[in-house]
Amino acid sequence: MRVYDVMVRDVTAVTQDDSVENVVRIMATQFLSGVPVVTEDMRVIGFVSESDIIRAAIPGYFSLLQSTTFIPDMSQFLKMAAKLKDKPVREIMAHPPLVVNENASLAHVADLMIKHNVKILPVVDEHGRLLGVITRTNIVRAAMEGYL
Amino acid sequence: MKVITVTLNPALDREFIIEGFAVNAYHRIKTQDHMVMNPGGKGINVSMALAKLGVSSIAVGIIGGYTGRVLLTELNKVSPLISTSFVHIEEETRENIVIVDPVNHTMTSINSPGPRVDKKAVELLLKRYEIYLSRAEAVVLSGSLPQGLTGEIYGKMAKMAREKGRMVFFDMIDEYLTEALEICVPDVVKPDVRGSFTVLGERLESLEDYVEAAASLVKRGCKLVVISYEIKNDVVATQDGVWLISTDEKVEPENILGAGDAYVAAMVYKRLTGTSTSMLEIAKFGYAAALAKTKKLTKEMPEYEEINRALGSCTLERLR
């Protein structure tokens, strides 16, 4: 089975000058864990995920501590988060992005997701233009039906 | 994606087939297939009709709440030829109810107004729309508007499309059409005269009124104008004249749900696939698609072969 068969044909995306606040709004209202970043002709040039946003809002050492108890001053974190919302997406997006072609096999995509620890990937055509997204759930569902 | 369809006020359509429907009475629906739930709103319907004709489209617009999510889930199941990108808001997307009675040949519709849309949602939508314009050949702007929006938005979106050299199709009520025309004139317009019988602020009564209205829109710069005149006649105007398209076939009024959208989709299809086709031929193909749709009770869009068959029973009469 190919990506084409199970992908979600939703081409919701942002451009690199969109604000982080806009991205968070899209992610919150559409229950997405990440959004592709595209050029004016819809070529995918980046991807911004929950992790990218969280990483940009907290001190670098936080991921090692795994608890908010160690943040000495919570107001500093809130200040960083407030500053972040007006920043353009290009400052925090993953670039170049990890993408998959619509004709790729699901086994290949599953492998990529495991290796890079991602939940969602943009699907592109042969010119790198956005066609939709594929999620871990799409793949697990196909596997349960015996189609991987 | 060849076509962008814009649905600013989509709806989750609920169709119930009830024989002998009456108000103030208790009705039990016979079977599951007598109650249909599907994504709706004019632009979405056009996308579904285009998919039947093998044309890919991207459906864009604004949806909200739980109903909006159900609508989107259902729409994503319809065809791989339909991509989506909707701005999500908190207020609920509306539900439209249609009760079809095949015994008494009636169709009762209850359409809700839809949610209130804020400025931010519109800004987000326009930004996405601009990106998608880079890959489209035609844009369909049709249907009602949610609370908080006026016909200006259609004018603005049409202008953006025309500036990029895209073909623009309008299917909307006169209130929106009049406002939108102040900003941009589309290539093809099919004014929605259901209930109001008004075009450019003028009430249409006689056939001559319809002819005059269609000719006025051509004078404003439209290449093709189609106005429904009675249930199975349409007045069609191009820069070459005005015609009446009709048929000898019987049209059941309870089957017209979605016929107007099949009409628009077929015109888009014909325009995209036959660049040398005349505007009159495009209108005729659209009419045939609407006629083919009326052979189906629910909002199921016609196949190419069904449209071709219906073409044989369309007649043209020159009026001007």
Side-chain angles (χ1 to χ4, degrees):
Chain A
M1 199 175 239
R2 304 273 146 188
V3 169
Y4 181 89
D5 300 308
V6 301
M7 63 185 274
V8 181
R9 280 161 220 288
D10 195 296
V11 287
T12 296
V14 293
T15 54
Q16 54 177 336
D17 59 341
D18 259 303
S19 68
V20 174
E21 185 183 23
N22 273 355
V23 174
V24 172
R25 180 186 160 128
I26 290 168
M27 285 163 66
T29 54
Q30 296 188 221
F31 300 142
L32 296 171
S33 61
V35 183
V37 183
V38 297
T39 58
E40 279 183 359
D41 61 350
M42 284 194 77
R43 275 182 305 108
V44 181
I45 51 160
F47 192 82
V48 59
S49 67
E50 288 166 340
S51 308
D52 296 323
I53 295 168
I54 294 165
R55 226 181 348 257
I58 58 172
Y61 59 82
F62 178 71
S63 57
L64 300 172
L65 303 175
Q66 297 189 334
S67 166
T68 53
T69 322
F70 294 97
I71 295 182
D73 180 4
M74 189 57 87
S75 68
Q76 193 193 346
F77 164 66
L78 294 177
K79 265 186 211 163
M80 282 174 82
K83 266 189 197 169
L84 182 63
K85 73 185 173 99
D86 295 322
K87 281 193 176 172
V89 167
R90 66 171 164 271
E91 289 188 20
I92 65 160
M93 71 185 189
H95 169 78
L98 199 57
V99 296
V100 288
N101 186 275
E102 59 178 325
N103 296 312
S105 72
L106 292 189
H108 168 70
V109 180
D111 186 50
L112 269 182
M113 285 180 157
I114 293 164
K115 267 189 194 149
H116 296 272
N117 192 27
V118 292
K119 299 173 189 168
I120 178 171
L121 282 171
V123 179
V124 296
D125 65 11
E126 66 276 21
H127 304 292
R129 289 184 301 219
L130 183 66
L131 295 175
V133 290
I134 184 163
T135 65
R136 293 196 297 197
T137 309
N138 297 141
I139 296 176
V140 170
R141 193 173 173 193
M144 283 178 168
E145 288 166 9
Y147 291 121
L148 202 60
Chain B
M1 59 197 71
K2 282 187 166 179
V3 182
I4 300 176
T5 62
V6 178
T7 315
L8 295 168
N9 198 18
L12 191 61
D13 284 344
R14 311 291 303 268
E15 287 175 64
F16 300 98
I17 300 169
I18 302 173
E19 292 174 4
F21 173 72
V23 292
N24 211 20
Y26 179 80
H27 296 285
R28 195 184 289 276
I29 292 166
K30 272 185 176 172
T31 54
Q32 280 286 332
D33 62 359
H34 278 52
M35 43 189 281
V36 183
M37 177 179 77
N38 51 34
K42 280 182 168 292
I44 288 173
N45 291 345
V46 170
S47 269
M48 295 195 291
L50 283 171
K52 276 279 174 86
L53 295 171
V55 177
S56 60
S57 67
I58 172 167
V60 306
I62 298 169
I63 55 172
Y66 175 74
T67 314
R69 271 191 279 277
V70 173
L71 186 155
L72 189 56
T73 307
E74 293 299 314
L75 183 57
N76 281 325
K77 286 182 201 163
V78 173
S79 164
L81 291 173
I82 304 175
S83 301
T84 55
S85 182
F86 284 84
V87 172
H88 291 237
I89 57 169
E90 278 181 21
E91 270 190 52
E92 290 289 329
T93 284
R94 64 196 176 125
E95 282 185 70
N96 285 346
I97 296 164
V98 177
I99 301 163
V100 174
D101 179 353
V103 174
N104 293 319
H105 304 290
T106 61
M107 188 180 88
T108 309
S109 303
I110 304 165
N111 284 14
S112 350
R116 180 162 286 280
V117 168
D118 61 26
K119 214 175 141 187
K120 187 75 192 166
V122 176
E123 272 173 26
L124 282 173
L125 176 74
L126 290 180
K127 189 139 200 229
R128 286 186 202 182
Y129 172 72
E130 190 166 19
I131 298 170
Y132 304 140
L133 276 175
S134 68
R135 293 199 56 207
E137 291 177 44
V139 174
V140 176
L141 297 161
S142 58
S144 70
L145 291 172
Q147 298 173 67
L149 292 182
T150 66
E152 186 194 0
I153 183 83
Y154 279 142
K156 224 171 174 174
M157 294 178 101
K159 194 172 173 214
M160 288 165 74
R162 290 299 298 269
E163 280 171 358
K164 293 209 178 214
R166 310 300 178 235
M167 267 180 289
V168 177
F169 291 73
F170 274 5
D171 178 1
M172 60 189 69
I173 60 168
D174 193 52
E175 184 190 335
Y176 309 148
L177 178 63
T178 309
E179 274 185 272
L181 285 175
E182 294 298 319
I183 302 168
C184 183
V185 176
D187 296 278
V188 178
V189 61
K190 185 175 176 300
D192 183 353
V193 294
R194 289 175 302 172
S196 73
F197 304 104
T198 304
V199 172
L200 299 174
E202 300 290 329
R203 174 112 183 138
L204 311 180
E205 282 166 7
S206 65
L207 177 60
E208 191 49 37
D209 295 339
Y210 283 78
V211 171
E212 204 48 56
S216 310
L217 283 164
V218 170
K219 230 178 261 172
R220 297 274 292 256
C222 301
K223 294 187 183 84
L224 172 62
V225 180
V226 176
I227 309 178
S228 284
Y229 170 68
E230 298 171 341
I231 193 164
K232 58 178 196 175
N233 302 311
D234 287 336
V235 171
V236 174
T238 74
Q239 278 147 358
D240 301 322
V242 184
W243 290 263
L244 187 73
I245 305 187
S246 194
T247 182
D248 292 334
E249 286 193 29
K250 197 178 173 212
V251 174
E252 301 294 352
E254 71 270 27
N255 292 357
I256 60 170
L257 184 66
D261 305 321
Y263 203 129
V264 173
M267 288 196 292
V268 173
Y269 168 85
K270 201 70 180 167
R271 188 74 183 91
L272 291 182
T273 54
T275 42
S276 58
T277 314
S278 75
M279 283 295 169
L280 193 58
E281 286 302 310
I282 289 169
K284 201 175 162 191
F285 192 73
Y287 180 90
L291 186 61
K293 158 62 199 79
T294 63
K295 306 290 174 208
K296 298 160 189 278
L297 195 57
T298 58
K299 201 184 72 183
E300 194 193 328
M301 295 303 176
E303 306 276 352
Y304 182 80
E305 285 312 316
E306 293 169 319
I307 300 173
N308 252 349
R309 269 200 300 277
L311 260 179
S313 58
C314 300
T315 56
L316 271 176
E317 179 193 342
R318 192 170 186 123
L319 298 174
R320 189 183 277 189

